[in-house]
């Protein structure tokens, strides 16, 4: 028997096992009867043997089922099973089965989790709610001006001094087989405008983004910044030193006649960037130095 067919056979056996009533009853035994969440060590028992998860135990002074005190021993066998059992994802429709530690990493990014449209948090104009895996399709249908399958997006944004929300703009760029989240943020307290790009890739530094602020009728005047992209799992991305920060007074100097900021955000792969040569002494400076030596 080939290794491929053997692996397929094991997968079929595992799939069949996970669908049995016996396995479902085991999952039920490893589910906290108080919060209805999967239990992981430490697990606690009352004197009558009812189990409870650690977080619920910390908030309880007696068993919620029989109202008796908790035992001084821990269910070692139950805790051992909790570490090894493959639990089903709690998001409806998701076929994922994994250990608790693996499931904790999977759940926040599960494509079957129910989310609200993030565009509503920025623009306040959308009531969509659905599976995370369907969100991009929704955006391309209902938010066409905010999404693109090109590696760049050009924006004309009317400056409004009365705006109080920090996130001025949010865009999605679907390119390089990734989803890039583009944020334009106004740090009013710090007196600066910020751009940052998050990507759904642990190796986000493989990509870079450029912010090109320009005046359509004055091509000689331009502000260009290039920075590495960051992983969307980075909780501190707003404080990251590699974001693009531009003082507001510089932004004001780039407002066009309609008091709008015109900018383009581009995404690229770092490996395709040309290596820059080490700067050499300018010819004019060499000539000046030679003239100085002659005078001496």
């Amino acid at each position: 028997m080939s290794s491929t067919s053997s692996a397929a056979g094991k997968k079929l056996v595992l799939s069949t096992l996970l669908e049995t009533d016996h396995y479902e009853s085991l999952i039920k035994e490893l589910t906290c009867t108080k919060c209805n969440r999967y239990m992981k060590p430490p697990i606690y028992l009352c004197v009558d043997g009812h189990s409870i998860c650690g977080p619920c135990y910390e908030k309880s002074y007696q068993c919620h089922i029989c109202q008796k005190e908790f035992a001084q021993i821990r269910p070692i066998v139950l805790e051992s099973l909790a570490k090894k059992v493959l639990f089903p994802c709690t998001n409806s429709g998701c076929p994922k089965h994994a250990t608790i530690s693996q499931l904790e990493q999977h759940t926040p990014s599960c494509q079957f989790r129910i989310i609200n449209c993030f565009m509503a948090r920025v623009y306040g104009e959308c009531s969509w709610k659905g599976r995370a895996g369907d969100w991009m399709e929704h955006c391309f249908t209902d938010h066409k001006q905010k999404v693109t399958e090109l590696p760049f997006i050009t924006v004309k944004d009317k400056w409004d001094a009365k705006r109080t929300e920090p996130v001025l703009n949010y865009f999605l760029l679907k390119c390089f087989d990734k989803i890039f989240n583009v944020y334009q943020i106004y740090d009013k307290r710090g007196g600066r405008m910020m751009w940052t790009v998050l990507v759904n890739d642990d190796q986000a530094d493989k990509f870079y983004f450029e912010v090109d602020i320009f005046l359509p009728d004055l091509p000689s005047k331009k502000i260009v910044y290039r920075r590495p992209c960051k992983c969307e799992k980075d909780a501190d991305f707003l404080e990251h030193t590699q974001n693009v920060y531009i003082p507001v007074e510089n932004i004001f100097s780039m407002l066009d006649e309609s008091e709008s900021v015109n900018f383009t955000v581009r995404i690229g792969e770092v490996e395709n960037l040309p290596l820059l040569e080490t700067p050499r002494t300018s010819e004019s400076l060499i000539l000046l130095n030679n003239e100085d030596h002659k005078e001496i």
Side-chain angles (χ1 to χ4, degrees):
M1 183 182 293
S2 68
S3 59
T4 303
S5 59
S6 177
K10 290 180 180 178
K11 189 173 182 179
L12 178 61
V13 171
L14 177 60
S15 177
T16 304
L17 174 63
L18 294 176
E19 294 174 359
T20 61
D21 293 338
H22 171 74
Y23 203 86
E24 287 184 7
S25 66
L26 178 60
I27 296 298
K28 186 176 181 180
E29 292 297 327
L30 292 170
T31 301
C32 179
T33 54
K34 187 170 185 179
C35 68
N36 204 34
R37 296 177 180 174
Y38 299 142
M39 294 189 293
K40 65 178 181 179
I43 299 173
Y44 296 90
L45 296 174
C46 74
V47 292
D48 275 0
H50 301 125
S51 57
I52 189 172
C53 69
C56 287
Y57 171 80
E58 295 295 333
K59 295 181 287 186
S60 307
Y61 62 91
Q62 64 181 15
C63 177
H64 64 289
I65 296 177
C66 63
Q67 282 73 52
K68 293 183 179 180
E69 68 273 15
F70 291 109
Q72 297 300 310
I73 59 173
R74 294 247 302 275
I76 303 302
V77 174
L78 200 60
E79 290 185 343
S80 179
L81 281 174
K83 292 179 181 178
K84 300 171 183 176
V85 165
L86 300 181
F87 292 89
C89 177
T90 54
N91 293 312
S92 178
C94 182
K96 180 77 173 181
H97 284 73
T99 61
I100 285 188
S101 59
Q102 293 171 334
L103 210 56
E104 288 174 341
Q105 296 178 355
H106 160 78
T107 302
S109 59
C110 177
Q111 294 299 293
F112 288 82
R113 74 190 190 280
I114 302 300
I115 63 171
N116 294 311
C117 180
F118 187 77
M119 294 291 181
R121 296 176 60 181
V122 180
Y123 303 107
E125 302 169 349
C126 185
S127 59
W128 182 89
K129 186 176 182 179
R131 287 179 173 177
D134 298 330
W135 183 54
M136 280 299 297
E137 182 179 349
H138 156 72
C139 287
F140 274 98
T141 301
D142 295 344
H143 304 288
K144 295 179 180 179
Q145 293 183 335
K146 309 298 181 183
V147 297
T148 179
E149 292 187 275
L150 297 173
F152 65 89
I153 188 166
T154 299
V155 181
K156 182 182 181 71
D157 186 48
K158 177 73 174 178
W159 174 256
D160 183 359
K162 296 181 180 180
R163 291 176 70 173
T164 57
E165 65 276 13
V167 181
L168 301 184
N169 281 297
Y170 172 72
F171 307 100
L172 290 172
L173 276 64
K174 186 178 181 181
C175 52
F176 302 109
D177 296 322
K178 307 291 180 184
I179 303 296
F180 295 85
N181 302 266
V182 179
Y183 293 84
Q184 180 194 5
I185 299 173
Y186 177 34
D187 179 8
K188 191 171 184 178
R189 179 177 296 181
R192 59 186 182 177
M193 196 75 74
M194 184 190 90
W195 279 265
T196 191
V197 176
L198 306 182
V199 58
N200 58 336
D201 192 320
D202 290 333
Q203 295 180 309
D205 55 1
K206 295 188 302 183
F207 303 97
Y208 69 89
F209 71 98
E210 283 185 350
V211 177
D212 186 339
I213 305 172
F214 61 93
L215 286 168
D217 298 327
L218 190 60
S220 61
K221 192 173 182 180
K222 181 183 288 190
I223 299 175
V224 181
Y225 277 81
R226 179 188 292 164
R227 292 289 185 269
C229 294
K230 286 162 287 298
C231 178
E232 61 183 12
K233 297 177 184 177
D234 184 357
D236 299 325
F237 74 92
L238 288 177
E239 305 299 328
H240 206 289
T241 58
Q242 291 300 310
N243 295 325
V244 168
Y245 297 102
I246 302 178
V248 173
E249 55 266 26
N250 290 1
I251 299 295
F252 289 161
S253 71
M254 298 297 292
L255 295 179
D256 62 18
E257 293 181 355
S258 64
E259 294 191 346
S260 297
V261 181
N262 299 272
F263 64 89
T264 298
V265 178
R266 295 185 185 85
I267 307 297
E269 293 179 299
V270 173
E271 65 178 9
N272 293 329
L273 287 174
L275 295 177
L276 300 177
E277 296 182 2
T278 303
R280 293 178 293 182
T281 306
S282 68
E283 294 295 327
S284 57
L285 186 59
I286 292 174
L287 290 173
L288 286 173
N289 288 334
N290 289 338
E291 290 298 324
D292 289 341
H293 286 300
K294 288 180 180 179
E295 291 179 6
I296 293 174

